[in-house]
Amino acid sequence: MIKKQTVAKIIILALLVQLMTGILTVVKNEQSVFAGYGEIYSEDDYIAERLNYAFKVYGPGAYFSKNGKACTCHGKGKCVANGSGCNCLRYVVIDGDKCDLRAVQCMGYAMYIQQVLFGCNEFSNSSKFKNISGPGKVSSSSVKKWFVENADVLHPGTHIRVRWSEHSIVLMSVDYNKGTVTYIDNNWVGKCKISDFTTISWSEFASRFKSINYAKVYKNYYSYFDGAPDSATVEKLKKDLPKATATPKAKATSTPTPTITPKPAKYTIGVYEVVTAQGSNLNLRSDTNTSSEIVSKLSSGTKVEIMDFVYNVSGHHWGLIPSEDGSGWVAMEFLKLVATITPTPTNTPIPADYPPGQYQVHVNNKLNIRESFSTNSTIIGNYANDTLVDVLQFVQGTTGTDWGKVTLEEGKEGWVAMSYLELNVTFTPTPKPVKPVQIPLEIQLLNMTPTPTLSPTPTLSPTPTATPIPIDIVTPAPTSVSVPIDVPDDKNMGSGSYFSENRWLLMIAGVSVILEVWLYRQLIILSSRKWKRRGRKLSRK
């Protein structure tokens, strides 16, 4: 008979094996650890399920690349052009369909999230989406203002273009009470590496991303999906936003107060004179809105140079006054033109961030091509969004804007603002062949060094042959040659290293196998003892 204690041991071991198998299953599915985050960032069941799908395949800490490793052609744009020679992802399979993201790296990941949420075919239909213009350069207050004013259209999965159109982030949520934004992005913490879900305040957003250029949202999102922000909270925040301060009404004087022209004629770069009511000053502000910081005050009659203009912002048309102490903006309705300045083009090289190459246009509508590198220059054409253009020369405009020189089909040259272009392919300059220098024969003869006459080599006497002495030859052990292997640093291996991320899985699997082998051995031993006892009983009979 089998002892009760032995049976108990077998049962306990069987339970342990089942427990280890369960742990093994959990660890095996560790890649989907972020698959439950959809419910955190969306109250809508469908959107939550789609976000779980997206993060299960490409979630925080993974690499958004073909082989799960850092991208090898970072910033070179090869994948956007033809998808070869690079491990960045442009084409992905979503629900069995091959989808073209039309971008790679940070923008490609933002496109990936939107296509997972709304489908490949639906994403390509531009009528389903719309772009929301950003304020450009941002501060803490303008970040808050933009998010609050667009609270009814911003949603989980919104693609926001920041850092002067050099980076893309995916909006996950906005806490309007705490004043924080949660997002996820790619290519910020490492080449093609997806960041963790990051929560930052309004001020941190402004400090980190510098600008908001535009956001791509799904039209009427909250008409189809749940999770709209609390309307009462949003309305309260809208009321709390700083209002544009009205300019004090001037007392009646002989000098008439200029009025705003709704659609003014194009302002001209030149010298302007401040025209205000007697005793009042014109504010010079840090930005193009009446709530921005007052840098200085200009008295009536002051003459200033205006080098750039912005129209219809905060109810005013603004002019830029450059200064060594810091440029500022003034309302143009309080200025009158005194003299026109013809800007002298300068060929100041811009930083090396813009190498000659092929660039892709990223604009909401169309990108203007100007005759010169100035916003006041004549428009001679335009490029549509996603157009690929060759840019070989770069200069800085009068207001510090970076401009690139392009050639139109008819051979005419023009200039475009580089803030709306993204590098696609870098051109490698071909070195010019060096023409060989012909040296006259007489100069070659003069420079020749005479060859010394060699003395005859004396005949050597034959060396007596030594009798070989047998010795024990020890064959040296082969020296191992250290071959450099391209192994990424363990802390940056991400999803590309199976053994690094699954070492606990392998350890648990090993322990589980050992326990099962031991359990089977115990069963064999117990069964053999049982047959031995039965054999003894039969022999006694």
Side-chain angles (χ1 to χ4, degrees), residues 37 58 98 149 176 199 206 219 225 260 283 290 327 350 352 372 411 418 446 457 476 478 481 484 501 504 530 539:
Y37 274 61
Y58 295 107
K98 184 178 180 181
E149 290 180 343
Y176 293 97
T199 302
K219 287 183 180 179
F225 308 108
I260 300 176
N283 292 328
T290 53
S327 301
I350 67 167
S372 183
M418 290 302 298
L446 290 173
T457 306
V481 181
E501 294 190 351
W504 291 108
K530 180 179 179 181
S539 63

Side-chain angles (χ1 to χ4, degrees), residues 243-259:
K243 301 294 188 301
T245 56
T247 305
K249 292 184 178 180
K251 297 179 181 180
T253 60
S254 57
T255 305
T257 303
T259 57

Side-chain angles (χ1 to χ4, degrees), residues 453-461:
T453 306
L454 299 177
S455 303
T457 306
T459 304
L460 300 176
S461 302

Side-chain angles (χ1 to χ4, degrees), residues 300-474:
S300 183
T302 303
K303 291 182 174 60
V304 293
E305 292 184 0
I306 307 294
M307 306 304 294
D308 199 1
F309 307 92
V310 174
Y311 299 97
N312 297 321
V313 178
S314 301
H316 297 274
H317 313 302
W318 299 87
L320 177 65
I321 300 177
S323 170
E324 295 180 358
D325 300 329
S327 301
W329 296 86
V330 290
M332 289 301 298
E333 61 266 30
F334 299 104
L335 299 171
K336 69 175 182 179
L337 181 65
V338 176
T340 302
I341 298 176
T342 303
T344 303
T346 58
N347 293 323
T348 306
I350 67 167
D353 294 341
Y354 299 101
Q358 184 187 70
Y359 287 77
Q360 186 174 16
V361 177
H362 291 291
V363 290
N364 297 336
N365 190 7
K366 291 182 179 180
L367 176 62
N368 290 329
I369 307 170
R370 296 188 180 272
E371 194 173 33
S372 183
F373 40 88
S374 170
T375 53
N376 293 289
S377 179
T378 305
I379 298 174
I380 59 175
N382 54 62
Y383 288 129
N385 187 38
D386 291 334
T387 303
L388 297 176
V389 296
D390 295 341
V391 189
L392 303 178
Q393 184 181 348
F394 310 89
V395 297
Q396 289 183 347
T398 54
T399 60
T401 303
D402 295 337
W403 296 85
K405 192 175 186 179
V406 296
T407 303
L408 306 181
E409 293 182 357
E410 58 272 20
K412 191 174 182 179
E413 294 180 337
W415 297 85
V416 292
M418 290 302 298
S419 56
Y420 298 102
L421 299 180
E422 185 172 17
L423 180 63
N424 190 20
V425 178
T426 303
F427 294 154
T428 303
T430 305
K432 295 181 180 179
V434 180
K435 185 178 180 180
V437 180
Q438 297 294 334
I439 303 176
L441 179 61
E442 56 272 19
I443 296 179
Q444 295 184 38
L445 293 174
L446 290 173
N447 292 333
M448 290 178 61
T449 304
T451 305
T453 306
L454 299 177
S455 303
T457 306
T459 304
L460 300 176
S461 302
T463 306
T465 305
T467 304
I469 301 174
I471 58 174
D472 294 331
I473 300 176
V474 180

Side-chain angles (χ1 to χ4, degrees), residues 6 22 45-46 70 73 77 80 106 118 137 189 216 244 246 262 300 339 360 373 393 414 428 452 455 478 499 506 515:
T6 304
D45 293 339
Y46 173 79
C73 57
V80 176
C106 63
F118 307 110
K137 182 181 179 180
V189 296
K216 184 179 287 293
S300 183
Q360 186 174 16
F373 40 88
Q393 184 181 348
T428 303
S455 303
F499 293 101
L506 298 175
L515 284 174

